Amino acid sequence: MQSEKFGAVVIGGGFYGCEVARELKQYFENVLLLESESDLMQRASYRNQARVHQGYHYPRSLLTSLRSRVNFSRFINEYKGCVYSEFEKVYAIARSFSKTSAAQFKGFCDRIGAPIGPAADELRALLNPHHVEDVFSVLEYVFDSAKLKDIVKVRLAEAAVEYELNAMVERLRYVGDQCRVEFRHRGEIREVEARYVFICAYSHINGVLWRSDLPLIPMKHEFAEMALIDVPEELKNKGITIMDGPFFAVMPFPDRGLHTLHHVRYTPHHWWTDTPGEGYLDAHKHFESAPRETQYEHMIRDATRFIPSISRSKYVESLWEVKTILPRSEVDDSRPILFRPVDKVPNVICVLGGKIDNVFDVIDYIREFVESNGVKI
Ligand SMILES: Cc1cc2nc3c(=O)[nH]c(=O)nc-3n(C[C@H](O)[C@H](O)[C@H](O)COP(=O)(O)OP(=O)(O)OC[C@H]3O[C@@H](n4cnc5c(N)ncnc54)[C@H](O)[C@@H]3O)c2cc1C
């Protein structure tokens, strides 16, 4: 590091932290990004279903679906090098226990302007009509998480953002209007000073707050498993999502040439919440120590009811991660973002992204924040 004083320090080198740091570099001469892993974008930004949402997923949250529509176009333009579009995408509506009927789903897509049409016969034939009310062709893509990381690294270099890997932030302290950021790096404790600190640590945001004696933000965490599977030939270039409730999606995962299987009922193994005023369970420590017994057999058994040929898939391994959402997302399955200065410490800002493409909403918040705080450009 050239300097021990920074205009802004960003904690967490996932997609959000990297993009936040890059944006901040426009306003501050020195920006430092600190990441605890040995490379950028190894956690939730890699271990996810890689769907570039276009709104279809959120029939119960109009705002989230409309934001997705806007952000979809922007994402596929600005990150085209990592977007994989060459597959057929269908959404099928379950006959039983779906919170949305086929007619409602179609009406909702028309309302938000998301392209939708009847699925071709050969796609319908993949699904069991006893369990599926209707099947729609949609326009949705996936991204290659490894290629996204490469793009992000090039852009960080172009913007001259400094970053330090293997740098685990332990806590924050205040001296006047400056914040001292204490982090462990290769066995040593180091400290830098910053005017602003952005905590983009996803499931670990409260870990940093807790160790800094700052109030926790209410959050819900799920210990999540997604199976990586090698699907049979007829499913190879397809992405199929069963809506709307305790169902599943099987989507291409380009970085591995496999498919992910994410099941609403079996992907979360257990969950817990962070509640202000109560104790704190360290999400990262829990992630390291929690038992990992795959629920793949349950996932595939249920998926086979809807897509009989999926039973011939080969299980390869599972991707595990702590998935973090805001409690209010529980009600309508929405994925709003969090951009919140800490109470009484307004130069420490917590950022939680709901989906990859929501990053543009965060960038907008940063611009507003910079303007309203008179940060010098
Ligand atoms: C199972 C699952 C499926 C998902 N599917 C999708 C999908 O299909 N489409 C979609 O758009 N979104 C999906 N998401 C959501 C998406 O993955 C997240 O919204 C996004 O990756 C969050 O990015 P991030 O940078 O905030 O988090 P992360 O990528 O987790 O980055 C946080 C970083 O902070 C680092 N860190 C933590 N604590 C510290 C510390 N104290 N010091 C230094 N560094 C620290 C971590 O190592 C990590 O690299 C899914 C998420 C999960 C878990």
Side-chain angles (χ1 to χ4, degrees):
M1 272 182 293
Q2 291 162 350
S3 155
E4 298 295 310
K5 275 195 171 193
F6 294 86
V9 165
V10 178
I11 302 172
F15 184 55
Y16 274 78
C18 293
E19 293 300 88
V20 165
R22 196 159 69 89
E23 177 66 20
L24 289 170
K25 191 64 175 61
Q26 299 190 42
Y27 310 109
F28 299 100
E29 205 179 317
N30 297 321
V31 173
L32 176 66
L33 174 64
L34 296 170
E35 167 53 49
S36 58
E37 299 276 327
S38 58
D39 199 357
L40 300 175
M41 291 177 56
Q42 298 302 294
R43 296 296 304 256
S45 298
Y46 182 84
R47 302 168 195 183
N48 65 72
Q49 198 160 34
R51 187 193 299 268
V52 187
H53 283 273
Q54 154 97 301
Y56 302 105
H57 228 64
Y58 304 104
R60 285 171 283 124
S61 177
L62 201 60
L63 182 64
T64 301
S65 43
L66 285 170
R67 287 308 309 159
S68 288
R69 291 271 299 120
V70 174
N71 289 335
F72 175 82
S73 313
R74 216 169 145 187
F75 188 90
I76 63 170
N77 273 324
E78 291 190 25
Y79 299 92
K80 30 171 116 56
C82 73
V83 173
Y84 178 66
S85 58
E86 298 301 306
F87 66 102
E88 289 173 288
K89 317 93 181 136
V90 297
Y91 272 58
I93 310 299
R95 277 197 192 279
S96 309
F97 306 116
S98 176
K99 294 176 180 154
T100 306
S101 70
Q104 285 168 330
F105 183 70
K106 168 82 172 61
F108 151 79
C109 292
D110 290 341
R111 206 168 330 129
I112 63 166
I116 184 165
D121 287 348
E122 65 266 29
L123 291 171
R124 280 172 193 275
L126 294 169
L127 289 135
N128 181 345
H130 294 298
H131 292 303
V132 162
E133 186 194 346
D134 208 347
V135 188
F136 299 101
S137 268
V138 300
L139 188 71
E140 209 180 48
Y141 301 143
V142 287
F143 58 92
D144 181 319
S145 325
K147 286 189 181 153
L148 180 61
K149 179 181 78 177
D150 294 342
I151 294 173
V152 163
K153 278 188 170 176
V154 168
R155 293 182 184 178
L156 284 176
E158 283 166 359
V161 171
E162 277 184 67
Y163 63 85
E164 198 76 67
L165 301 173
N166 301 301
M168 174 72 178
V169 173
E170 294 293 345
R171 65 187 183 119
L172 311 175
R173 288 184 296 117
Y174 317 96
V175 183
D177 64 353
Q178 298 290 310
C179 187
R180 297 202 137 257
V181 181
E182 193 179 294
F183 62 99
R184 208 165 3 94
H185 184 241
R186 301 188 194 285
E188 275 179 31
I189 296 290
R190 294 171 54 183
E191 208 173 65
V192 289
E193 205 171 283
R195 176 73 185 89
Y196 291 97
V197 174
F198 288 77
I199 310 179
C200 304
Y202 194 57
S203 61
H204 206 228
I205 291 173
N206 278 328
V208 178
L209 296 177
W210 173 258
R211 290 194 297 270
S212 310
D213 291 325
L214 292 169
L216 299 186
I217 295 173
M219 284 184 193
K220 181 179 176 191
H221 307 281
E222 291 172 0
F223 187 69
E225 174 191 14
M226 269 186 321
L228 278 177
I229 60 176
D230 191 4
V231 294
E233 207 48 43
E234 59 267 49
L235 297 178
K236 279 271 187 263
N237 243 357
K238 320 258 178 330
I240 304 178
T241 302
I242 312 288
M243 291 287 278
D244 168 28
F247 306 113
F248 67 94
V250 57
M251 299 286 283
F253 192 71
D255 179 48
R256 298 287 302 273
L258 296 167
H259 274 63
T260 47
L261 178 57
H262 178 291
H263 197 296
V264 171
R265 186 175 297 137
Y266 302 115
T267 283
H269 280 232
H270 55 266
W271 59 270
W272 69 100
T273 53
D274 297 336
T275 310
E278 294 186 4
Y280 172 67
L281 174 69
D282 187 303
H284 275 205
K285 285 189 182 147
H286 182 69
F287 176 77
E288 295 303 332
S289 62
R292 292 175 193 199
E293 264 182 47
T294 180
Q295 304 210 114
Y296 173 66
E297 286 306 323
H298 295 294
M299 294 187 199
I300 201 71
R301 198 173 311 130
D302 191 52
T304 300
R305 294 192 304 125
F306 295 86
I307 312 173
S309 58
I310 205 172
S311 65
R312 286 185 279 109
S313 301
K314 288 194 194 80
Y315 171 76
V316 177
E317 62 171 300
S318 292
L319 293 175
W320 301 85
E321 188 48 280
V322 177
K323 183 170 190 171
T324 298
I325 58 170
L326 298 171
R328 67 173 184 267
S329 301
E330 289 264 88
V331 182
D332 54 8
D333 194 32
S334 67
R335 294 287 179 276
I337 57 155
L338 173 98
F339 185 93
R340 186 197 285 182
V342 172
D343 278 353
K344 302 193 181 98
V345 195
N347 56 336
V348 177
I349 299 99
C350 298
V351 177
L352 177 77
K355 300 182 286 102
I356 288 290
D357 58 292
N358 279 144
V359 80
F360 301 117
D361 295 339
V362 171
I363 299 305
D364 291 346
Y365 275 118
I366 289 181
R367 288 179 187 157
E368 276 170 35
F369 179 84
V370 161
E371 272 172 32
S372 60
N373 284 273
V375 174
K376 221 166 157 272
I377 302 178

